[in-house]
Amino acid sequence: MATLTFHGAAQEVTGSCHLLESPALGRVLLDCGLHQGGDAVDRQHQDSLPFDPRTIDAVVLSHAHLDHSGRLPLLVNHGFDGPIHCTEATVDLLELMLEDAAGLYLRDLERDNLRNRRRGKPLRKADYSRADVHKALALCQPHAYGETWSLGPAATVCFHDAGHILGSAIVELRLTEKDRRKTLVFSGDLGKSDAVLMNDPATLTQADLVMMEGTYGDRNHRSMDNTLVELRDILADTWERGGNVMIPSFAVGRTQEILFHLGRLHQRGELARWQIVLDSPMAIKATRLYDRWFSLLDRDDVKHIHRSHHGSLEDYLPNLTCAVSTDESMAVNRIKAGAIIIAGSGMCTGGRIRHHFKHRIWNARNALIFIGFQAHNTLGRQLVDGARHISMFGEDYVVKARIETLGGFSAHADQSQLVDWLGHFEGTPRVALVHGEPRALDALSHRLWKEKKIACEIPALGQSLVF
C-alpha cells in the first residue's frame, strides 16, 4: 500500500512538503517548501526536516515558489542527492528563486551574528550554503508538459499546466502495486480561470486520490473587470491627494500580471501622468524569463503584447523604470507624488517594499494595494487585518496610508473554480485538501459535500493516509 505523509501545507498555506512511500517508487517528496512569515534566519532554523533526507529517492516539484521549493538546499545539505523532477521553465525560475533566497538568508545570518558577537552570545551556523543551492540546481531534471516519464520501478509521472505561474504543474502520478494500478493527482497551486498571461488549469478526469490546494476555499474573487475599476478608482483618488501607490508583489507571477494590466491601462491613455517603478531585481529577472518562455503563456495575451509593437513585458509599458541597484531603489524615495511602486516581497516579510513603507506608510496621502494572499504571521497579514501600528527595522510606525486588497489579481483559483476543477473527475476519488488555512478548507469541504457529495479529508501536520 502507498502511504502519504503531510509535512507542510497541512491546514496552513505555506511549507508544501508531502512524503509518498510505496514499493512502486520508493520514498518521494512532492514539493519541499519553506514556511513563510517572520525573520528569515529564525524561519530557516525552524524549518527542520522531519525525515532523513538520505533516504529520499527523488523530489517531484510542482513549481518554483519558495513555499514549494525553498527547503531544497537544506535537503541537499543533509545528504539528499537524488533527482529533482520539475518542468523546463521551473528550472530557470528555481535558479532565480533559490539564489535570491540564499543571498537574503546568509546576509541576515551575518547581521544576526554580528549582533550576537556584540552581546557575547553564541554564533549561529548556516543551515546551508550557496554550494548547496548549486548542487540542488544541478540535480534538476526538466520535463515538458504532457511528457510521461518513469519514477521508480513501477511508477510514472506526467506534468500538466496548472496555470498558476510560469512552469507550474499539476502532478499526475500512476503507480502499480501487486498488479493494482493507482493514480494520485496533486494539484500543486491551481491558477484562476481567465488569468492574464497564464493558461487555464488543465482538467483531469481519472484519479484514486486527489490532493488539492484550498488557499481561497472560503471565498470567490471579484471579476477582473470590477477589480480594474477599483484599481482605477484608487489611482485617481491617490493622484488627487498627491500621493504614491505601493504594491507589494511576488517577483514571479503577480508582478508580471500587474505589469500586463498596467500596460493595458497605458494603452488606453490612463497612466500617462504616472511614473511606474519596478523595484525588485528578482522580479526584473523573472519578467525577462517570462519573455523567454512566451510559448507557454496564454496565446491571446501574448498576441496583444506583440500587436502593441513591443516585444516584451517591460517594453509593453514605456513609462516603467526598473530599479536594479540599491542606489536606484533609494532614489525612489525622492519621488514626492505620482509613482506606482511595485516591490517585493509579496507578503512584506522582507525585501525593498519595507523600505518604501518606512518612507510612506505613515502618510495618509499614500495608498497600499495588496494583490496576493497574505499568510498568517506576515507583516502583510497584519496590515490586511487592520493593524494601525507596525514594527520594522527596530522602530514603530503608525499606519495612515489607505490600504486595499484587490483579490481579482490572485494567482490562485477561488472556491467556485476549485469546485469546478474537482468536479471533472469521474467516479468518487478520495480527496485530501491541503495548502489552506482551516477555515478555508472547512468551507471548501462543506461546499463540495453539499453540491457534489464529495467527502474530503483535511489532514493535519504529520498525519499519514494509506491508499
Side-chain angles (χ1 to χ4, degrees), residues 162-164 168 189-193 195 199-201 213 411-414 417:
H164 174 62
S168 60
D189 283 356
L190 292 173
K192 67 186 183 74
S193 303
N199 298 304
D200 287 354
E213 70 118 323
H412 289 265
D414 64 16
Q417 292 163 351

Side-chain angles (χ1 to χ4, degrees), residues 241-295:
R241 288 186 284 114
N244 298 285
V245 173
M246 297 172 286
I247 304 178
S249 186
F250 299 96
V252 179
R254 294 309 83 222
T255 292
Q256 290 72 42
E257 180 167 354
I258 193 66
L259 290 178
F260 180 87
H261 284 296
L262 291 174
R264 294 292 295 266
L265 293 178
H266 171 79
Q267 300 297 321
R268 298 169 188 164
E270 298 181 36
L271 290 182
R273 301 179 298 176
W274 285 93
Q275 181 177 350
I276 302 163
V277 180
L278 178 54
D279 188 13
S280 169
M282 184 166 69
I284 294 166
K285 293 176 183 177
T287 301
R288 290 166 185 163
L289 282 179
Y290 267 66
D291 293 340
R292 184 189 307 173
W293 287 97
F294 263 160
S295 61

Side-chain angles (χ1 to χ4, degrees), residues 151-419:
L151 180 71
T156 61
V157 176
C158 183
F159 286 136
H160 304 272
D161 193 347
H164 174 62
I165 65 167
L166 184 67
S168 60
I170 299 164
V171 179
E172 182 183 23
L173 194 155
R174 299 181 182 273
L175 57 132
T176 303
E177 295 177 329
K178 297 181 180 180
D179 297 326
R180 183 187 170 193
R181 195 174 188 187
K182 306 174 184 178
T183 301
L184 164 66
V185 172
F186 172 39
S187 72
D189 283 356
L190 292 173
K192 67 186 183 74
S193 303
D194 299 322
V196 299
L197 298 180
M198 304 309 302
N199 298 304
D200 287 354
T203 54
L204 283 72
T205 60
Q206 301 292 327
D208 297 286
L209 172 63
V210 180
M211 184 165 55
M212 184 177 75
E213 70 118 323
T215 308
Y216 285 96
D218 59 346
R219 74 199 84 166
N220 289 323
H221 302 315
R222 296 189 70 179
S223 71
M224 185 50 66
D225 286 343
N226 289 337
T227 298
L228 292 176
V229 168
E230 190 174 359
L231 174 61
R232 291 190 192 101
D233 290 344
I234 296 169
L235 293 178
D237 177 72
T238 306
W239 182 273
E240 290 299 320
R241 288 186 284 114
N244 298 285
V245 173
M246 297 172 286
I247 304 178
S249 186
F250 299 96
V252 179
R254 294 309 83 222
T255 292
Q256 290 72 42
E257 180 167 354
I258 193 66
L259 290 178
F260 180 87
H261 284 296
L262 291 174
R264 294 292 295 266
L265 293 178
H266 171 79
Q267 300 297 321
R268 298 169 188 164
E270 298 181 36
L271 290 182
R273 301 179 298 176
W274 285 93
Q275 181 177 350
I276 302 163
V277 180
L278 178 54
D279 188 13
S280 169
M282 184 166 69
I284 294 166
K285 293 176 183 177
T287 301
R288 290 166 185 163
L289 282 179
Y290 267 66
D291 293 340
R292 184 189 307 173
W293 287 97
F294 263 160
S295 61
L296 294 182
L297 304 181
D298 184 276
R299 292 182 180 180
D300 290 337
D301 294 329
V302 171
K303 286 179 181 177
H304 181 84
I305 292 172
H306 285 291
R307 276 201 305 270
S308 301
H309 308 291
H310 303 292
S312 71
L313 272 169
E314 284 184 54
D315 294 336
Y316 177 60
L317 189 55
N319 49 342
L320 173 68
T321 299
C322 292
V324 177
S325 69
T326 302
D327 287 343
E328 290 171 330
S329 178
M330 292 173 64
V332 178
N333 296 326
R334 295 195 289 269
I335 302 174
K336 301 301 180 184
I340 300 172
I341 304 162
I342 307 164
S345 68
M347 295 186 189
C348 312
T349 54
R352 293 181 176 181
I353 193 65
R354 292 164 71 102
H355 292 276
H356 295 299
F357 285 178
K358 178 179 178 179
H359 290 272
R360 294 181 171 86
I361 203 164
W362 45 265
N363 191 327
R365 294 182 303 163
N366 299 318
L368 169 58
I369 301 175
F370 286 100
I371 59 173
F373 187 85
Q374 304 301 306
H376 275 305
N377 300 319
T378 63
L379 178 57
R381 184 59 169 266
Q382 293 176 39
L383 291 165
V384 167
D385 286 345
R388 303 316 302 168
H389 292 84
I390 59 173
S391 178
M392 301 183 300
F393 312 113
E395 296 185 29
D396 293 329
Y397 294 84
V398 64
V399 179
K400 291 187 176 180
R402 175 182 178 181
I403 297 177
E404 299 286 350
T405 299
L406 301 185
F409 287 117
S410 173
H412 289 265
D414 64 16
Q415 186 190 71
S416 293
Q417 292 163 351
L418 291 168
V419 170

